[in-house]
Amino acid sequence: MLDTTALRDEFAPPRPRGVGKAVALALLIHAGLIGLLALGVNWKSDPQTAVYDAEIWDATPSQEGGPKAAAPAAPAPARQEADTDSQQETLRVAREQQAREAAQQAAAQRQQQEAERRQLAEEKQQQAQERAAQQRAEQAREAREQEAEIALRKREAEKQKQLQAQQAERRKLEVERQAKAKQEADRQAREQATKDKAREQAEARAKAQQDAKAAAQAKADAAARSKAEAAAKAQAAKDAAAKRETDAARKAQLDRMRALAGAGSGGGTGSAGGKGTSGSGKDAKSRGGPSSGYAAKVRAKVRPNITYNDDEGDSPRTDVEVRAAPDGTITARRVIRSSGNRSWDQAVLRAIDKTDTLPKDIDGSVPSPIVIEFRLR
């Protein structure tokens, strides 16, 4: 806070000059007036001895032309009354003179009192003016002090307001920073959730694709097995029919040979038997197994279709029985000897399915069924 004493001394009005001299002069004048008034009162109150000269005139007119006669002497009581009247008149005149003097003195006192009253009124007015001036100066000083205090409070309020504004700005910046951090965290969380969802969806799609692939493969395997079984059944029926035809033809041939043998000699029978044996051997030759290089030819066609990445250092072996139609279309395949490695066995079966047809042997036929051996190396 401001030092009010310093402010009061600083903003106080200047003291009027000559106040001490004026007061001393006024006191001196009042003392003189009071002395003169006392002197006048004492002078007027001194006892005075009045000296009167009395003359007695005769009121009786004298006779014209004759000598003046002496007035007869008044009797003594009349003289006394005249003396008494004269004294009373003298006293009355003296009293009137004293009354006039008292009136003059009272008028002088009244004038002096009026002058003193006027002087006192002037002094009071001057004092009132001085007090009013002092009050105005005091009020001005107090007003200046109040203005200074108001200005100080205003400055303090402005400082407080600025401090509050700065604090509010800092709080606003902190809130904005926290909001931005929250937004960034939410964005990162959303991005992470999106990535996780995308990964899950990708994994789900991959799994669905794998499941679909597995289902398709299973379906294809089932279809292939069904097709192979159907082809095997058809081939078995065909083989059975061919066998029956062959057996019937052989039986008919034997019956003819027996008939011929019964009509001819025994050597002819031996020859016939030799022919029959020869014929039987020829038929067996025509219906014999594949050529020695056919298995290698089949492996050479199937191997490029094998996809296998699990190379564990060993060389697994899988034997597969393959059945095909006369045109070479693969109708069935099955593992008759597993390598113990399911992945390798499945890779071989998928390669055979992908190959679709078997090559023809050197005689233009397609042996069926045929067992092919597959090795990793």
Side-chain angles (χ1 to χ4, degrees):
M1 294 181 63
L2 294 174
D3 190 357
T4 56
T5 304
L7 288 175
R8 189 176 294 110
D9 294 336
E10 180 181 358
F11 297 102
R15 296 179 180 274
R17 297 180 180 179
V19 174
K21 294 180 180 180
V23 172
L25 182 59
L27 292 175
L28 183 61
I29 291 172
H30 281 79
L33 289 174
I34 292 169
L36 291 175
L37 182 60
L39 182 61
V41 170
N42 292 329
W43 177 71
K44 291 294 180 179
S45 61
D46 288 339
Q48 296 180 0
T49 302
V51 178
Y52 300 100
D53 293 332
E55 293 181 359
I56 299 173
W57 297 84
D58 187 6
T60 303
S62 59
Q63 294 180 358
E64 294 181 0
K68 294 181 180 180
R79 193 178 299 114
Q80 292 177 352
E81 290 179 359
D83 293 337
T84 302
D85 293 336
S86 177
Q87 291 177 358
Q88 290 178 351
E89 182 66 19
T90 302
L91 291 175
R92 184 183 62 80
V93 171
R95 284 196 294 270
E96 290 178 356
Q97 184 67 28
Q98 290 179 355
R100 285 193 296 273
E101 291 177 357
Q104 291 177 358
Q105 185 177 359
Q109 289 179 355
R110 285 195 299 272
Q111 290 178 357
Q112 185 177 359
Q113 290 176 357
E114 183 67 19
E116 291 177 355
R117 186 184 63 78
R118 284 196 298 270
Q119 186 175 1
L120 290 174
E122 290 177 357
E123 291 178 356
K124 288 181 179 179
Q125 184 178 4
Q126 184 178 1
Q127 291 176 359
Q129 291 177 355
E130 291 177 356
R131 284 195 299 271
Q134 290 179 358
Q135 288 179 356
R136 287 194 297 272
E138 185 69 19
Q139 290 176 356
R141 181 185 58 76
E142 291 178 355
R144 287 192 295 271
E145 289 179 357
Q146 290 179 358
E147 290 177 357
E149 185 70 19
I150 291 171
L152 179 61
R153 291 179 181 176
K154 187 175 181 180
R155 287 194 298 271
E156 292 293 334
E158 289 292 335
K159 289 181 181 179
Q160 188 68 22
K161 186 176 179 181
Q162 291 178 358
L163 181 60
Q164 290 177 356
Q166 292 175 358
Q167 292 176 353
E169 185 67 21
R170 284 196 294 269
R171 286 195 296 270
K172 181 180 178 182
L173 293 176
E174 182 65 21
V175 170
E176 290 178 353
R177 186 187 64 77
Q178 292 178 358
K180 288 181 180 179
K182 186 175 183 298
Q183 290 177 357
E184 183 66 19
D186 292 341
R187 184 185 64 79
Q188 292 179 358
R190 288 194 299 271
E191 290 181 354
Q192 187 64 33
T194 303
K195 290 179 181 179
D196 294 340
K197 186 176 180 180
R199 186 177 64 255
E200 290 175 358
Q201 290 177 353
E203 291 176 354
R205 284 194 299 270
K207 185 177 180 182
Q209 290 176 359
Q210 290 177 358
D211 293 342
K213 245 172 123 181
Q217 185 64 37
K219 187 176 180 181
D221 293 343
R225 283 194 299 271
S226 299
K227 185 178 179 182
E229 290 175 358
K233 289 180 180 179
Q235 186 66 31
K238 188 176 180 181
D239 292 342
K243 185 178 181 182
R244 285 193 300 271
E245 290 176 0
T246 302
D247 292 341
R250 186 181 293 115
K251 185 177 180 183
Q253 184 68 24
L254 289 174
D255 289 342
R256 284 193 301 272
M257 288 176 67
R258 287 191 191 98
L260 290 174
S265 61
T269 303
S271 176
K275 289 180 182 178
T277 304
S278 176
S280 177
K282 186 178 179 181
D283 185 67
K285 184 177 180 181
S286 63
R287 292 184 179 274
S291 62
S292 59
Y294 184 71
K297 191 175 182 181
V298 172
R299 279 194 298 271
K301 187 174 183 181
V302 173
R303 181 168 288 278
N305 295 327
I306 296 177
T307 302
Y308 182 74
N309 297 324
D310 298 336
D311 189 359
E312 297 179 356
D314 56 351
S315 180
R317 171 187 170 182
T318 302
D319 293 345
V320 182
E321 180 188 69
V322 181
R323 292 181 182 273
D327 60 352
T329 302
I330 298 173
T331 58
R333 82 280 186 280
R334 67 186 180 90
V335 177
I336 60 175
R337 180 181 176 183
S338 175
S339 64
N341 187 338
R342 180 175 174 77
S343 299
W344 170 250
D345 294 343
Q346 293 296 323
V348 172
L349 293 177
R350 287 194 297 271
I352 292 172
D353 293 338
K354 191 173 182 180
T355 302
D356 193 38
T357 59
L358 293 179
K360 294 182 179 181
D361 202 355
I362 56 178
D363 59 353
S365 64
V366 178
S368 178
I370 183 172
V371 177
I372 308 298
E373 176 187 333
F374 292 95
R375 289 181 180 272
L376 180 60
R377 295 183 182 84

